[in-house]
Amino acid sequence: MSVPGTIDSNSNSSLFLSLPDDVFAMVSRFLLPRDVCNLSLCCRSLYALAACEKVWLTQCDRMGIVPHKDLVDWRTGVSSYKAICRFLLNIKPLIGIWVHQNPELGNLVYVMPGFVSVVGCRIIPQELGPMGIHDGPILWAPVFEIIGDFDGSPTFFLHGREKGLDYICHGSFKSINKSCNVLLLEVEPREKCIRNKENSRLQGVVGSNNKAMVPFGRLSLSDRKKLLEFTTRHVRQEVPHMAMGPLFPRLRDCYENFQKELVLLRGRRALLSQMYRLDHSQVDNIENSEEAVGPKQLEQDDRRKSIECSRALTILLDGEGSDAQYNKRKNGVKFWGSLKQMLGGSSSNNSHHEKKHVRLEEFLGSNDTIMLTLKASTVKLSAYRAWPNMPESWFALYKMPLQDPTEDQVYAGLWGGTFGWPPGKPSEDKPGKALFFLLLSYEESHGQQLLIATKILEGTHYVLHPNGSAMFIVNINEPSSEPFPWNSDADSYPINIKHSFTGEGIANGYGFRYPGSKPGSLFEFQDGVLAFIWKDSRSVLTLQRLNLQQLLKKGERVHCLPPITNFSCLTKSYSNVFTGFPDAYTSSSSPR
């Protein structure tokens, strides 16, 4: 293998071996992880060189997901930097903004790094706090976590709250590709778990007699909902008090507080590892490398996963308030009989539905285990402007493509703001300003460059316009001749307009679902603030660029919804459903 511009393809490996570790780590920055792995296959000497911790730390760094200091902290919880790299490759496509059509106020989930994990955080529709958008705590609730195992393999946890208690539901995480745009919450049937003697790794064999597995989406909506509720109810565990700590590190503005919080993060992850036997015995042993894992550990890992695979079936057959006993034969028919009794039967039993949906019996087949699964898929979806058209019956989240600002597209990205002038903190006469999150993106139309501001969150009590609406569309190629109505800002400083563009803002149209538009102008100030003004009404929407990860790190966590609803709400709603459940929106330290 050769590195362009450094060595000839006929050079032997001694040139690589003569490089100091630091220099080779710098060279490896121009390689992909698979290139480093291929290099390790050449010979024993290059294998040792490619296994160097500095090389894999460089590979983790070049992904740009986790800051270097955080990577060093993560290393204490895994076998090697190579394990961290494996985990980051798995979860990299998940980082970013995910949405759902319901409720219409907005269903925004932001996936960000935690501690050897990624966390899906729902931004609660809210009003602007007294400290403003950048200084005040933003309200959020946990949706799911994907935690990296000792060797970097991912494990899925779904959050939920019912009857005043917080739960986590353990499940599997399906491998993903770089272009995934849909996160699906599903149930996956599996046969009895067996051990593969050749590689000493446990595998769940799906299906029987080489039959193809029936997709979860082939079930009717009611059957899918029943099966999800049934599964989460039986695999959930109450969150212990010690695991109620932070899900991700906060800002490093105080070293002492950050170190205390890091201890809590390590303790929480160790507790989850103990609860689900995620190689807990190896978490604190930072001296062991991934390659040093021996047959004994693999045997323990097999035994641990075998317990997990059979646990779900044991609970299913025992039932809730049932006298059914565990049957060692685990016959598929008896398994289906127990499950059917609990679910109340399949809703796909009539001939009309059989053509479109499959029956639960066909989905489960002769499998003896069912498992909660987070499946990241690539689905071809149509879109209107920047908003995807979402199927109404999928328990899913949909990724919003986030354009990075460039020289030609300077306004692209996530923005937040409120209606009214001046912008910023709420005034005494108007203390509750609804907070809006808009995703600004560019689109070419008839040779013109359009800037589209898509609403993805709205903090009103009752929704004004549909989720995913374009709050305004402006023509970047057409400057506006309209003057700005005000001469000074909140601090009585004069207004300095940098740019202005002509466009149209959202307005009442043909009912709620089909809003209209009215002319307006977009203004950019010298400090980077944007303001769109409707020409006739002189209503003004002011926006500031947001760093959602930074806002969440100093945000305020509130209670979440029941597990399935917490992932995706399929019920059409025009108000804030995240405040409509008991204990769903309370916090003892809330300044609101």
Side-chain angles (χ1 to χ4, degrees):
M1 176 140 188
S2 65
V3 180
T6 56
I7 23 179
D8 183 69
S9 57
N10 296 323
S11 299
N12 57 45
S13 62
S14 62
L15 294 179
F16 272 119
L17 299 175
S18 65
L19 295 175
D21 289 347
D22 292 337
V23 175
F24 183 72
M26 294 177 62
V27 173
S28 68
R29 184 173 291 273
F30 300 95
L31 301 176
L32 296 174
R34 65 170 178 266
D35 296 329
V36 179
C37 292
N38 290 336
L39 187 65
S40 67
L41 300 177
C42 296
C43 64
R44 291 183 179 180
S45 299
L46 286 178
Y47 175 84
L49 185 63
C52 174
E53 285 280 83
K54 292 180 181 179
V55 171
W56 288 105
L57 175 58
T58 300
Q59 289 296 313
C60 296
D61 257 333
R62 69 185 294 273
M63 291 190 200
I65 301 174
V66 180
H68 182 87
K69 290 183 178 180
D70 290 348
L71 288 172
V72 176
D73 294 331
W74 282 28
R75 176 61 181 85
T76 63
V78 295
S79 61
S80 63
Y81 283 117
K82 185 178 182 180
I84 296 179
C85 186
R86 179 185 295 113
F87 177 71
L88 292 178
L89 285 172
N90 270 316
I91 57 87
K92 184 177 181 180
L94 301 184
I95 301 296
I97 296 174
W98 299 78
V99 297
H100 194 278
Q101 184 67 48
N102 297 317
E104 295 288 355
L105 277 174
N107 192 340
L108 166 59
V109 176
Y110 184 72
V111 180
M112 60 180 285
F115 178 73
V116 198
S117 65
V118 290
V119 185
C121 307
R122 171 170 288 109
I123 311 300
I124 304 297
Q126 58 199 278
E127 295 178 345
L128 187 66
M131 300 176 64
I133 190 171
H134 286 295
D135 297 325
I138 193 170
L139 302 180
W140 65 276
V143 178
F144 67 85
E145 290 180 88
I146 298 176
I147 295 179
D149 204 342
F150 180 69
D151 63 353
S153 56
T155 303
F156 168 61
F157 295 90
L158 176 66
H159 284 259
R161 182 178 177 86
E162 291 184 287
K163 298 180 180 179
L165 297 176
D166 290 305
Y167 296 97
I168 49 177
C169 305
H170 174 244
S172 66
F173 176 62
K174 302 290 286 188
S175 58
I176 58 179
N177 54 53
K178 296 180 180 179
S179 60
C180 69
N181 61 346
V182 179
L183 277 179
L184 295 163
L185 187 65
E186 298 185 344
V187 171
E188 182 180 274
R190 296 188 177 187
E191 274 198 46
K192 179 181 177 181
C193 295
I194 60 173
R195 183 178 175 184
N196 187 324
K197 296 182 179 181
E198 294 181 1
N199 55 16
S200 298
R201 301 299 297 174
L202 195 71
Q203 298 178 348
V205 181
V206 181
S208 60
N209 299 325
N210 297 323
K211 292 183 179 179
M213 186 180 71
V214 178
F216 182 71
R218 293 283 309 280
L219 292 172
S220 68
L221 174 60
S222 59
D223 283 348
R224 282 184 281 124
K225 184 178 180 181
K226 286 181 182 179
L227 200 52
L228 281 170
E229 291 176 345
F230 178 83
T231 306
T232 55
R233 187 168 65 250
H234 285 83
V235 302
R236 73 184 185 186
Q237 286 201 12
E238 185 179 344
V239 179
H241 179 73
M242 290 184 61
M244 295 295 291
L247 274 63
F248 46 79
R250 298 176 74 85
L251 298 174
R252 293 177 178 262
D253 49 1
C254 176
Y255 178 80
E256 183 177 351
N257 290 339
F258 183 83
Q259 291 301 314
K260 290 179 180 178
E261 202 163 58
L262 201 58
V263 172
L264 295 177
L265 287 165
R266 291 191 183 113
R268 180 180 181 276
R269 181 176 180 273
L271 184 59
L272 291 179
S273 299
Q274 185 178 17
M275 290 173 62
Y276 295 99
R277 295 173 175 86
L278 298 178
D279 295 325
H280 174 65
S281 60
Q282 300 292 335
V283 168
D284 298 324
N285 188 1
I286 63 175
E287 298 299 327
N288 288 342
S289 67
E290 183 186 40
E291 289 74 21
V293 177
K296 184 177 181 181
Q297 180 182 337
L298 293 178
E299 183 177 353
Q300 292 173 349
D301 187 57
D302 287 353
R303 192 181 304 115
R304 178 257 302 176
K305 291 185 178 178
S306 180
I307 293 173
E308 290 178 349
C309 284
S310 61
R311 178 176 178 271
L313 175 64
T314 304
I315 298 175
L316 288 174
L317 292 177
D318 286 346
E320 290 184 342
S322 172
D323 295 329
Q325 299 297 319
Y326 178 71
N327 189 325
K328 292 184 179 181
R329 288 168 56 192
K330 288 179 279 193
N331 182 279
V333 176
K334 292 189 177 183
F335 165 73
W336 161 240
S338 301
L339 185 58
K340 182 178 180 181
Q341 182 179 3
M342 293 182 183
L343 293 177
S346 171
S347 65
S348 304
N349 292 333
N350 57 68
S351 58
H352 173 73
H353 285 89
E354 281 182 339
K355 296 179 181 179
K356 183 176 181 181
H357 303 298
V358 299
R359 297 163 60 101
L360 274 171
E361 299 100 318
E362 185 179 349
F363 173 75
L364 294 169
S366 61
N367 301 289
D368 57 10
T369 301
I370 56 176
M371 194 172 197
L372 189 67
T373 301
L374 181 67
K375 181 180 178 181
S377 302
T378 302
V379 180
K380 187 176 181 180
L381 297 172
S382 60
Y384 179 67
R385 295 192 174 120
W387 188 253
N389 294 318
M390 307 175 192
E392 296 181 354
S393 62
W394 290 6
F395 293 91
L397 294 170
Y398 302 85
K399 192 166 189 178
M400 288 294 291
L402 183 62
Q403 297 179 0
D404 294 323
T406 62
E407 186 177 350
D408 297 330
Q409 301 181 351
V410 294
Y411 306 119
L414 180 66
W415 295 72
T418 59
F419 277 90
W421 185 266
K425 301 177 182 178
S427 58
E428 294 181 1
D429 58 331
K430 293 183 179 180
K433 290 186 176 182
L435 182 60
F436 284 77
F437 280 20
L438 305 183
L439 202 60
L440 271 59
S441 59
Y442 287 79
E443 183 178 299
E444 293 287 337
S445 178
H446 303 292
Q448 301 295 312
Q449 190 177 36
L450 303 181
L451 178 65
I452 303 174
T454 304
K455 186 204 78 171
I456 58 176
L457 195 71
E458 160 181 345
T460 57
H461 296 287
Y462 194 83
V463 66
L464 300 177
H465 300 292
N467 195 12
S469 297
M471 293 299 290
F472 60 81
I473 300 176
V474 299
N475 189 343
I476 298 298
N477 305 117
E478 186 177 345
S480 174
S481 59
E482 293 292 326
F484 191 73
W486 294 275
N487 296 322
S488 60
D489 59 14
D491 299 318
S492 300
Y493 290 113
I495 297 295
N496 294 315
I497 304 296
K498 186 176 180 181
H499 298 292
S500 63
F501 309 98
T502 299
E504 292 183 338
I506 197 168
N508 293 330
Y510 299 98
F512 171 79
R513 184 57 56 189
Y514 304 100
S517 61
K518 290 187 177 181
S521 299
L522 179 68
F523 296 87
E524 180 192 6
F525 307 130
Q526 290 290 343
D527 58 2
V529 173
L530 298 180
F532 185 86
I533 298 181
W534 281 257
K535 182 178 179 180
D536 295 337
S537 64
R538 295 185 64 181
S539 298
V540 55
L541 174 62
T542 57
L543 301 171
Q544 304 174 56
R545 189 180 290 278
L546 300 181
N547 185 326
L548 202 47
Q549 184 169 325
Q550 296 299 312
L551 290 178
L552 285 168
K553 285 190 173 184
K554 55 184 179 182
E556 180 180 326
R557 177 179 172 180
V558 298
H559 295 318
C560 57
L561 304 183
I564 306 304
T565 308
N566 192 40
F567 186 82
S568 63
C569 178
L570 301 189
T571 304
K572 184 68 67 177
S573 175
Y574 303 96
S575 59
N576 193 348
V577 302
F578 306 112
T579 64
F581 286 78
D583 301 322
Y585 193 66
T586 59
S587 177
S588 59
S589 60
S590 174
R592 293 167 170 78

